[in-house]
């Protein structure tokens, strides 16, 4: 996602309001006019408890965003908002309960084109794959509540819109709703899982590649789900080129003529 797109997204209510909320308490406490009006006090300084809460918040945000691999401005903000909301909820609740209303604004969803098939559990996925094993599938296993999955959703949609063919398809399985799929494909769907999202590439009806994956010691290898990394890890461009050169419909027509 380009820097210009990031700036346009910041104008949406979700980002704009949450950025204001993230700095509102410090701003209100440090600006005398605002501080005198809201808190009705002359000493406009953060007390010890407030400083501890904000300092702890900074540490948590740095640790969590580092683990999720957030590198772009939007990814960083999305990962940090959940923690700033909790901190602001605590700091503002007794000051003015009306400020809590801004916390319920939902994050804007991706509105661009996509070519994704939403699959219903392990059986639904297996049926689609076995319907025609000549079709190559790239499947995203995700949950609706995981921040990393939410961040990856527009990236996967863009990939599907650009590369989907009759014999190269993009699918998604919500393992929060269909835990049987998580069990079958060895994906942890817990709240602390580092396997969300998981991308698996299927060729000839079998799994051939996945990200993230476990090394020979069983340790999960971290993967940053950027659009360029996904293209490189799964060799999307070459797969797309091969699938385009060998469409399944052409083979079907030839077999019908032979009969």
């Amino acid at each position: 996602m380009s820097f210009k797109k990031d700036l346009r997204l910041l104008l949406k209510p979700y980002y704009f309001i949450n950025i204001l909320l993230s700095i509102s308490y410090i701003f209100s406490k440090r600006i005398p006019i605002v501080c005198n009006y809201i808190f009705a006090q002359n000493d406009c300084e953060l007390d010890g408890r407030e400083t501890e809460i904000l300092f702890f918040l900074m540490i948590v945000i740095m640790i969590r965003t580092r683990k999720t691999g957030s590198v772009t401005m939007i990814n960083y903000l999305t990962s940090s908002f959940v923690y700033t909301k909790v901190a602001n909820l605590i700091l503002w609740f007794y000051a003015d309960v009306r400020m809590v209303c801004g916390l319920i604004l939902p994050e804007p969803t991706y509105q661009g084109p996509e070519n994704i098939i939403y699959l219903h559990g392990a059986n639904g996925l297996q049926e689609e794959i076995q319907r025609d094993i000549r079709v190559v599938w790239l499947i995203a296993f995700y949950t609706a509540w995981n921040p990393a999955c939410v961040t990856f959703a527009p990236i996967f949609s863009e990939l599907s819109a650009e590369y989907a063919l009759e014999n190269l398809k993009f699918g998604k399985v919500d393992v929060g709703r269909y835990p049987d799929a998580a069990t079958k494909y060895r994906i942890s769907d817990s709240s602390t899982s580092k396997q969300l999202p998981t991308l698996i590439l299927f060729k000839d009806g079998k799994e051939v590649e996945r990200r993230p994956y476990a090394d020979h010691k069983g340790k999960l290898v971290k993967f940053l789900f950027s659009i360029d990394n996904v293209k490189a890890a799964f060799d999307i461009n070459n797969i797309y080129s091969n699938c385009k050169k060998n469409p399944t419909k052409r083979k079907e027509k030839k077999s019908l003529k032979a009969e």
Side-chain angles (χ1 to χ4, degrees):
M1 187 176 291
S2 68
F3 183 70
K4 290 183 178 179
K5 288 183 178 179
D6 285 355
L7 289 178
R8 285 196 294 269
L9 280 175
L10 291 181
L11 298 177
K12 292 183 177 292
Y14 171 81
Y15 296 105
F16 183 70
I17 294 297
N18 277 283
I19 289 172
L20 290 180
L21 284 172
S22 299
I23 64 173
S24 62
Y25 197 82
I26 298 176
F27 178 85
S28 300
K29 267 285 189 173
R30 297 295 297 167
I31 305 300
I33 297 176
V34 181
C35 177
N36 295 337
Y37 177 76
I38 295 178
F39 299 99
Q41 61 184 43
N42 295 322
D43 185 17
C44 297
E45 297 287 342
L46 295 171
D47 60 30
R49 180 58 58 84
E50 292 166 340
T51 304
E52 289 175 2
I53 292 173
L54 293 172
F55 186 71
F56 180 72
L57 172 66
M58 291 172 58
I59 294 174
V60 170
I61 290 175
M62 286 189 293
I63 293 174
R64 294 302 300 174
T65 51
R66 181 180 178 84
K67 285 184 177 181
T68 56
S70 300
V71 291
T72 68
M73 177 172 58
I74 292 298
N75 290 353
Y76 185 86
L77 289 174
T78 301
S79 298
S80 63
F81 280 156
V82 64
Y83 306 107
T84 58
K85 284 179 180 180
V86 174
N88 276 286
L89 181 64
I90 296 171
L91 293 170
W92 276 113
F93 184 79
Y94 292 107
D96 190 342
V97 71
R98 290 173 296 179
M99 293 297 296
V100 180
C101 296
L103 300 177
I104 64 174
L105 285 174
E107 183 175 0
T109 57
Y110 176 74
Q111 300 295 327
E114 66 173 38
N115 196 341
I116 297 173
I117 299 173
Y118 290 85
L119 302 163
H120 304 292
N123 291 335
L125 171 57
Q126 193 64 23
E127 287 175 4
E128 284 292 338
I129 291 175
Q130 295 301 320
R131 195 185 305 277
D132 187 346
I133 62 172
R134 295 172 298 175
V135 176
V136 178
W137 284 88
L138 184 61
I139 306 295
F141 297 82
Y142 74 103
T143 62
W145 47 262
N146 184 277
C149 295
V150 175
T151 301
F152 179 62
I155 294 174
F156 194 69
S157 294
E158 289 179 18
L159 285 170
S160 70
E162 183 178 357
Y163 290 100
L165 297 168
E166 285 295 325
N167 53 348
L168 173 56
K169 296 183 178 181
F170 293 75
K172 294 184 77 171
V173 180
D174 185 350
V175 294
R177 186 177 179 184
Y178 302 103
D180 61 315
T183 302
K184 180 172 182 177
Y185 294 99
R186 307 178 308 282
I187 300 170
S188 171
D189 59 351
S190 69
S191 58
T192 58
S193 175
K194 296 180 180 179
Q195 291 181 277
L196 295 173
T198 288
L199 276 183
I200 300 182
L201 182 69
F202 293 89
K203 287 184 178 179
D204 298 322
K206 300 178 181 179
E207 175 184 335
V208 295
E209 195 73 61
R210 78 159 59 194
R211 293 293 187 278
Y213 65 93
D215 60 17
H216 64 282
K217 295 181 179 180
K219 185 178 180 181
L220 200 66
V221 178
K222 187 177 179 180
F223 183 74
L224 176 60
F225 283 93
S226 68
I227 192 166
D228 290 331
N229 284 355
V230 172
K231 287 181 180 180
F234 294 94
D235 199 17
I236 299 295
N237 287 319
N238 283 334
I239 292 176
Y240 175 80
S241 179
N242 291 334
C243 288
K244 199 168 184 178
K245 289 178 182 177
N246 302 285
T248 55
K249 284 187 175 181
R250 182 184 300 172
K251 292 182 179 181
E252 290 171 359
K253 287 180 181 179
K254 286 183 178 179
S255 62
L256 288 173
K257 288 181 179 179
E259 291 175 1

